[in-house]
Amino acid sequence: HRKEREVGLVSSKLCPYCMEPTDSDTCPHCGKDINYIGSPTQLPAGYVVSGKHPYVLGAVLGQGGFGITYLAEQVNLHRMVCIKEFFPKDYYKRDDNNSSISLLSDSFKENMSRFKAKFVKEAQTIADLEHPNIVGVKDVFEENNTAYYIMDHVEGESLSEMVKRGGTLSEDVAV
């Protein structure tokens, strides 16, 4: 069952898809079932990561070989953000407490430490960029034996959704 918002700030449930408070199993704002269940490798909806401010996680937006991106709410400002978690799925596992991660083998330690440092550096580099076509990075921090960075949430459809909907993109649309 869906967790309530933690950190003692609010006790209402949030819809993991639109991050609006609700007391119903069906969100009155977006119409989706709020009883979201992700995979065991993902942090659960309702989990709170801290950084400079607490962030409540919602649904997973995407997962690749080196990370998981979550929809989230920055609690103190009640604004939607995206959080990217460093999680190389072939090298780490989620611990039984469902928050911290640990290496599958100590032989990966040196390489994964280097990759995590690159992940943090990537966030710092993106944070220095200002361009309308680049999503802004607002924070980066380490917690749960991994790293996270906070990005602006941008409404819209992903590139893969555009291709599925309309087929191969023309050069004009792609550029």
Side-chain angles (χ1 to χ4, degrees):
H1 195 73
R2 182 138 165 72
K3 287 187 176 182
E4 292 185 356
R5 195 184 295 182
E6 297 174 11
V7 272
L9 299 175
V10 195
S11 62
S12 64
K13 292 187 279 186
L14 293 178
C15 171
Y17 300 99
C18 69
M19 303 308 290
E20 292 291 333
T22 181
D23 290 324
S24 170
D25 282 347
T26 301
C27 179
H29 306 281
C30 69
K32 294 185 178 176
D33 180 352
I34 70 159
N35 296 304
Y36 174 85
I37 299 174
S39 83
T41 61
Q42 301 165 352
L43 290 167
Y47 184 81
V48 177
V49 294
S50 295
K52 292 178 185 172
H53 309 285
Y55 300 93
V56 179
L57 299 184
V60 169
L61 299 174
Q63 182 168 357
F66 276 84
I68 304 171
T69 303
Y70 304 89
L71 181 63
E73 179 186 76
Q74 184 177 349
V75 175
N76 65 330
L77 296 178
H78 301 289
R79 73 177 177 144
M80 287 184 23
V81 296
C82 294
I83 298 181
K84 187 170 183 179
E85 177 186 34
F86 176 74
F87 187 85
K89 64 181 181 177
D90 293 335
Y91 301 93
Y92 283 93
K93 66 179 173 99
R94 185 82 54 198
D95 294 337
D96 290 337
N97 67 8
N98 210 23
S99 58
S100 293
I101 66 171
S102 58
L103 286 167
L104 294 171
S105 168
D106 284 340
S107 65
F108 304 141
K109 190 173 187 174
E110 187 178 324
N111 279 341
M112 288 302 104
S113 179
R114 213 169 51 247
F115 285 136
K116 183 165 69 169
K118 285 183 178 185
F119 179 88
V120 169
K121 179 67 176 158
E122 172 185 288
Q124 293 166 336
T125 301
I126 296 169
D128 287 340
L129 302 174
E130 289 187 31
H131 189 278
N133 295 334
I134 298 173
V135 174
V137 170
K138 302 302 181 193
D139 193 10
V140 61
F141 57 93
E142 293 189 33
E143 184 177 306
N144 299 327
N145 297 327
T146 190
Y148 302 89
Y149 62 81
I150 310 303
M151 301 175 287
D152 292 328
H153 175 261
V154 179
E155 288 286 339
E157 127 183 275
S158 71
L159 179 59
S160 64
E161 290 168 337
M162 287 177 70
V163 171
K164 284 179 190 171
R165 181 178 45 79
T168 304
L169 300 179
S170 70
E171 183 179 344
D172 290 344
V173 172
V175 177

